[in-house]
């Protein structure tokens, strides 16, 4: 059992030669951060279970995986930009009450997205971008930002939160 950060090493991860054989990942309770590109291009990775204690997911940690649903633990604080870029099978995301910030394009090109739940009414959300459907979710009132939910997509949250922009 390990604790602390799972750091990035762009050159090599112990599972690099087995990327296509990874279907499920379980992050242990003691892990606090997931490094850049950690599970990048694990094309068959469908299920990720996050343990308590995880606070941060860094850039492109899950780039181009087949993850279908994400429920973040109460310990989760920050998701860096492009962390889940091109997760084209991702349909559901639930952000915990403790989530503080989702950085720009953290979920870029997640075109199967159908349901998003914001449990923290004060969550800072720089930009949520779904390129194909042109969905932008931002707490800032910027008239240049398209604020539209595609047909069939459900956004849940609290009054005066990021989710209310779509009510």
């Amino acid at each position: 059992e390990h604790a602390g950060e799972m750091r990035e090493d762009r050159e090599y991860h112990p599972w690099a030669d087995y990327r296509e054989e990874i279907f499920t990942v379980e992050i242990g309770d003691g892990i606090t951060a997931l490094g850049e590109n950690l599970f990048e291009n694990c094309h068959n990775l469908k299920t990720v279970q996050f343990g308590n204690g995880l606070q941060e997911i860094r850039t492109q940690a899950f780039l181009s995986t087949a993850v279908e649903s994400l429920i973040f633990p109460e310990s989760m604080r920050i998701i860096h930009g492009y962390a889940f870029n091109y997760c084209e099978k991702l349909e559901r995301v639930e952000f915990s009450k403790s989530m503080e910030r989702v950085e720009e394009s953290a979920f870029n090109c997640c075109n199967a997205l159908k349901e998003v739940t914001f449990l923290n009414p004060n969550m800072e959300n720089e930009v949520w971008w779904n390129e194909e459907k042109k969905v932008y979710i931002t707490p800032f009132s910027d008239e240049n930002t398209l604020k539209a939910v595609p047909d069939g997509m459900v956004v849940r949250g609290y009054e005066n939160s990021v989710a209310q922009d779509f009510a």
Side-chain angles (χ1 to χ4, degrees), residues 14-162:
W15 50 85
D17 294 337
Y18 304 98
R19 286 187 190 277
E20 298 305 318
E21 299 172 35
I22 298 173
F23 298 92
T24 302
V25 169
E26 185 175 325
I27 307 299
D29 286 344
I31 302 300
T32 58
L34 300 179
E36 292 182 17
N37 308 97
L38 203 57
F39 297 101
E40 175 183 11
N41 295 322
C42 290
H43 297 117
N44 294 314
L45 175 56
K46 291 184 177 184
T47 305
V48 179
Q49 295 177 340
F50 300 109
N52 292 320
L54 183 64
Q55 297 176 23
E56 178 180 8
I57 298 176
R58 297 195 181 124
T59 303
Q60 298 182 342
F62 291 90
L63 173 72
S64 294
T65 63
V67 66
E68 297 172 343
S69 179
L70 296 168
I71 299 175
F72 295 103
E74 282 306 311
S75 56
M76 194 68 196
R77 301 280 183 259
I78 300 168
I79 299 175
H80 291 270
Y82 303 96
F84 294 92
N85 200 19
Y86 289 99
C87 290
E88 296 174 348
K89 296 184 179 184
L90 182 60
E91 293 186 0
R92 179 175 178 257
V93 177
E94 183 176 303
F95 297 107
S96 66
K97 291 178 185 176
S98 62
M99 183 71 72
E100 295 171 2
R101 184 173 79 237
V102 176
E103 292 185 353
E104 183 173 351
S105 298
F107 293 86
N108 185 30
C109 297
C110 294
N111 296 321
L113 200 57
K114 294 179 183 172
E115 183 179 332
V116 181
T117 303
F118 298 95
L119 296 178
N120 180 352
N122 301 312
M123 188 177 102
E124 196 180 311
N125 190 25
E126 293 178 13
V127 178
W128 178 283
W129 179 30
N130 180 323
E131 187 175 277
E132 181 179 291
K133 295 178 183 174
K134 304 295 185 204
V135 176
Y136 294 81
I137 300 174
T138 175
F140 311 111
S141 54
D142 178 2
E143 61 195 18
N144 296 319
T145 301
L146 177 64
K147 292 185 178 182
V149 175
D151 292 340
M153 184 181 209
V154 176
V155 178
R156 293 185 173 92
Y158 289 91
E159 185 175 347
N160 299 319
S161 74
V162 172

